[in-house]
Each structure stands twice: as C-alpha cells, then as structure tokens.
Amino acid sequence: MKKVIILLLILNSCEFRMDDEDAQEELETTATRIEFGDLLVEERNIHFAFTEQGKELLITFVHGSPGSWNAFIDFFKADSLLNNADILSVDRAGFGDSDYGNAESSLKKQAFQINEVIKKFPQKRILLIGHSLGGPVVARMAMDYPQAYNGIILVAPSIDPEMEKKEWYRKVIDTKFGALLTPKEFEVSNDEIITLKEELELMIPLWDQIKIPTIVIQGTDDSLVPKENADFAKRMLPDSLLEVNLLEGVNHFIPWSHPQEIIKAIYTLADDR
C-alpha cells in the first residue's frame, strides 16, 4: 500500500493541460495564428485548437491518455506542414477543456464527437493522426465514417485487446481513497483504460471497414504499448492499405522524440491521392 500512495503522490504532481493563453504566447513567434473553438456534442463540450489558412488539407491530431490537444503543439510550429495544410488538435472528452474530469469510455462516442468537430471544417481532404489511446479513436473514426477521411496514422496505438493487461494499481485508483490522491487527468485516464480491452474487442469485426491508407509508427522499446500492436494491425488490415514503420530502440513518446517520423508519414499520405 505504501508503494501505491507514493505512486499516486507522484502522479498528483503531473499536469498535462495548457491554458489557451499560454499556448498562444508560446506560438506567437510563428507566422500562423492559432485559434480555439468549442462544440457542444450531445451535451458534451469538445474543445479544440486549429489554424484557419484556407488550405485544402486538414491534419487532425488526437492525443493519448492522459493528455490534451497541446501534446501536438510543436506541430503547430512546423512550417513544412503549415505551408501545405491546416492543423486541428482536439481535447478528447474528459481532458483539457472538453468536460474536464468527466471520462468517456466509449470509443464509438469519442469517434462521433471528434467527427462532429471535423464536420465544421470545409476541407474535403482530411488525415487523422492518433497517438497511444488516440490510435483506436481515429481507427474507430475510419471504421464508422469510411468516406470521410483520406488516411490515418496510428502512432504507438493501443489497438490489440490481447495486449491490454489488468494493472494492479488501476483498481486502487478506482476507489474513493485512490480518487482523493489521484489528479483528475489520471482519474479520467484510469476510467477509460479500465474498459479499453472490451472497447477494442467490439472493434474487431469492424476493421474491414477501413478502406483508406494506414501507417503505423511503433517503437520497438515501447514499455507502455507493446510493439505487438503493430503486428495486430498487420493481421487486421490488408498490406495494400498498411505500412508499418518500426523504430528501433524508440519508446512510447514518438510525437516528442521523433516528430519527423510523423511528418514523413503525413507527406506520404498527402501524396497518395
């Protein structure tokens, strides 16, 4: 129990959210203005950051668990992307400013919420990028709305239900005592990860609904999402649609350590008309 308390106290010192004002200040030296929006989707507020340059391509980022839209803030600084596309990054339900603290365990509902946000944008060419738990969310979007998107990039994605283990500490966090010591980001994360295995199992018969090019980027030294998730993608998708990029010696945090790999994958899909 002592180890549990120490773990929860460490987690309580972590903060994943960034105020919109702080984000604007961080990005004020860039040539492109960042804007923010909110959309009420079935009584859930969904918050998002975006650029509005009138580009034909929209690149949409979906963060992991825990996280918020600003996990991808460095991509808003990438001239190589902004010269050719607009960028959208969404706070998933329960995180950031999207009904903070109120978890949404259903991947289908999360997919619907983000799809509703994207429908507000005029672009007809749209790429989806999901990191970690954001991976199965964008995969579900491609399953449920097969005509809406042009390609998906799954970065260290939690997509194989057999890889979802029942960690001992999750039951502790899911108690009143655990909730007292656990920050909201991790409480929300815990709520959705507890049911993730079952949610992924519901998706198994839907993988053949994905009809668009898909790139998986996975580190071989990922201790949070095992590299076998990339093997799962190979089993579920035809090789005519799938490209798997294994990064030797790389861990789970690819958006920060190897952003160029994501940008390269974006170029690949953007050129695949």
Side-chain angles (χ1 to χ4, degrees):
M1 181 58 70
K2 182 178 180 181
K3 291 182 179 179
V4 175
I5 295 174
I6 292 173
L7 173 63
L8 294 176
L9 289 173
I10 291 173
L11 294 183
N12 208 33
S13 67
C14 300
E15 180 67 40
F16 289 84
R17 306 167 74 194
M18 175 182 285
D19 290 338
D20 291 348
E21 294 78 9
D22 292 339
Q24 285 179 322
E25 183 176 343
E26 181 171 335
L27 293 169
E28 66 182 1
T29 59
T30 63
T32 303
R33 175 179 171 80
I34 187 172
E35 301 188 41
F36 302 95
D38 293 271
L39 182 67
L40 190 65
V41 183
E42 295 185 340
E43 300 184 352
R44 297 296 299 265
N45 179 69
I46 304 300
H47 183 72
F48 50 94
F50 64 99
T51 65
E52 195 170 27
Q53 309 174 93
K55 302 295 185 179
E56 294 183 359
L57 176 65
L58 180 67
I59 301 169
T60 301
F61 290 97
V62 180
H63 64 82
S65 184
S68 61
W69 76 263
N70 62 276
F72 302 101
I73 193 169
D74 286 344
F75 291 89
F76 283 86
K77 306 173 186 176
D79 290 343
S80 57
L81 294 182
L82 293 169
N83 289 337
N84 300 288
D86 276 305
I87 296 177
L88 167 66
S89 188
V90 181
D91 282 338
R92 292 194 298 105
F95 297 102
D97 287 324
S98 291
D99 280 358
Y100 179 66
N102 185 11
E104 176 55 73
S105 60
S106 168
L107 295 180
K108 181 179 179 65
K109 289 183 179 180
Q110 289 196 45
F112 173 74
Q113 292 161 355
I114 299 173
N115 186 68
E116 289 296 295
V117 171
I118 292 174
K119 284 165 60 177
K120 298 297 181 181
F121 288 79
Q123 286 87 351
K124 301 302 181 185
R125 296 186 61 236
I126 303 169
L127 302 181
L128 303 175
I129 297 97
H131 174 239
S132 196
L133 202 146
V137 173
V138 301
R140 184 76 201 225
M141 292 170 70
M143 294 169 182
D144 292 351
Y145 312 100
Q147 306 301 319
Y149 306 112
N150 299 91
I152 57 177
I153 301 171
L154 307 177
V155 184
S158 306
I159 53 177
D160 184 353
E162 294 303 315
M163 292 294 104
E164 293 302 312
K165 307 304 180 185
K166 301 294 185 181
E167 293 99 342
W168 58 270
Y169 58 85
R170 298 204 177 278
K171 290 184 178 180
V172 178
I173 294 175
D174 197 34
T175 64
K176 291 183 179 180
F177 170 75
L180 288 174
L181 294 177
T182 305
K184 278 297 179 183
E185 287 95 339
F186 282 92
E187 188 178 348
V188 172
S189 176
N190 196 62
D191 287 345
E192 63 178 4
I193 290 177
I194 282 178
T195 61
L196 181 58
K197 181 181 180 72
E198 291 74 19
E199 287 292 312
L200 296 178
E201 288 172 343
L202 292 174
M203 289 170 55
I204 288 178
L206 303 177
W207 278 91
D208 62 1
Q209 297 299 309
I210 295 181
K211 307 295 185 183
I212 55 178
T214 301
I215 297 177
V216 174
I217 305 174
Q218 177 69 51
T220 61
D221 288 2
D222 191 332
S223 61
L224 297 177
V225 176
K227 63 181 180 180
E228 285 78 11
N229 280 272
D231 297 328
F232 176 81
K234 291 179 182 179
R235 296 196 300 272
M236 304 307 291
L237 294 173
D239 59 8
S240 59
L241 291 179
L242 181 65
E243 175 183 326
V244 175
N245 298 331
L246 284 178
L247 307 181
E248 290 294 331
V250 173
N251 63 23
H252 186 64
F253 303 104
I254 295 170
W256 301 275
S257 65
H258 291 73
Q260 71 279 4
E261 295 294 335
I262 298 175
I263 292 175
K264 184 169 66 175
I266 292 171
Y267 290 157
T268 297
L269 294 184
D271 291 338
D272 188 5
R273 295 174 181 266

